[in-house]
Amino acid sequence: MNIVCLDMEGVLVPEIWIAFADASNIPALRRTTREEPDYGKLMDYRLSILREHHLGLKEIQSTIATIDPLPGAKEFLDELRATTQVIILSDTFEQFAKPLMSKLNWPTIFCNTLDVAPNGEIMGYQMRCEKSKLTTVKALQSMGYDTIAAGDSYNDLAMIQASKAGFLFKSTDQIKADHPELPAFEEFNQLLAAIKAAL
């Protein structure tokens, strides 16, 4: 029994924080897990910038409303979900992901949640569990599933490496250079073919 685990941002949809950095004209918010392996450090950095500029959930959600899935992502996901079970494992937050899931025909997503004050200020965040992607893959394996995983960033490497088959997708030159053992693809049809071959 197989189950496919996919990252969301950079794989199926554009990076939310990059889009918001551009919309708010705050280049410092362009930093993502492609550059910073420590997710806690990255989120603390982001929240401090939001506080400094008096920005909150409403402003970020306004940007998210303008984001569409990457070209071909919905079709890829539809075909993959017709073939096997798929879960999106993301370090994003429920408050960010919901409008994007509607544009992807409501796939299953496991993600985190934000602590938001009544005035919309983001006070903090709650992770589902420690090392959430790797922990989830191992839990699925303990339930009898073989996992196949794909992602683009440092925080995807553990789930990719722990899976029966794992792939980099639209990743950085640095990550691909550091992990030549991982097949790397740029097009959805290539990733789909690789996943089907691994099933």
Side-chain angles (χ1 to χ4, degrees), residues 77-96:
L77 202 53
D78 286 346
E79 183 166 349
L80 188 58
R81 291 168 68 199
T83 305
T84 189
Q85 299 296 310
V86 180
I87 298 175
I88 298 172
L89 300 182
S90 177
D91 281 337
T92 193
F93 305 97
E94 295 168 330
Q95 295 91 337
F96 291 2

Side-chain angles (χ1 to χ4, degrees), residues 6-184:
L6 299 174
D7 180 36
M8 183 182 81
E9 293 180 68
V11 172
L12 298 170
V13 304
E15 293 279 354
I16 290 169
W17 286 99
I18 290 178
F20 184 62
D22 293 345
S24 60
N25 199 27
I26 305 173
L29 286 173
R30 290 182 63 87
R31 190 166 180 79
T32 71
T33 50
R34 288 169 162 245
E35 296 87 28
E36 176 53 69
D38 186 329
Y39 190 72
K41 181 179 175 183
L42 178 63
M43 278 304 301
D44 291 343
Y45 167 79
R46 288 167 168 168
L47 294 184
S48 70
I49 293 172
L50 292 179
R51 281 191 286 271
E52 178 186 339
H53 291 272
H54 306 288
L55 295 168
L57 181 60
K58 183 179 76 170
E59 290 81 8
I60 298 174
Q61 287 180 328
S62 293
T63 296
I64 292 171
T66 70
I67 296 175
D68 287 321
L70 294 172
K74 182 181 180 299
E75 293 77 10
F76 159 79
L77 202 53
D78 286 346
E79 183 166 349
L80 188 58
R81 291 168 68 199
T83 305
T84 189
Q85 299 296 310
V86 180
I87 298 175
I88 298 172
L89 300 182
S90 177
D91 281 337
T92 193
F93 305 97
E94 295 168 330
Q95 295 91 337
F96 291 2
K98 188 173 180 181
L100 295 167
M101 293 303 96
S102 71
K103 295 180 180 181
L104 288 169
N105 199 25
W106 299 108
T108 298
I109 182 170
F110 292 174
C111 60
N112 306 306
T113 192
L114 293 168
D115 296 324
V116 184
N119 67 355
E121 181 182 354
I122 299 173
M123 306 300 293
Y125 57 95
Q126 297 177 40
M127 303 295 283
R128 274 191 308 110
C129 55
E130 190 176 351
K131 298 180 181 177
S132 60
K133 296 183 183 189
L134 176 61
T135 300
T136 302
V137 160
K138 288 189 172 295
L140 290 166
Q141 291 166 350
S142 76
M143 294 161 58
Y145 286 101
D146 287 322
T147 60
I148 299 168
D152 69 321
S153 298
Y154 284 107
N155 64 336
D156 299 313
L157 290 172
M159 76 166 178
I160 291 170
Q161 292 164 335
S163 292
K164 176 179 80 169
F167 311 103
L168 293 172
F169 187 66
K170 297 184 182 293
S171 191
T172 66
D173 290 341
Q174 186 62 58
I175 292 174
K176 288 187 282 189
D178 289 346
H179 296 278
E181 77 283 4
L182 297 177

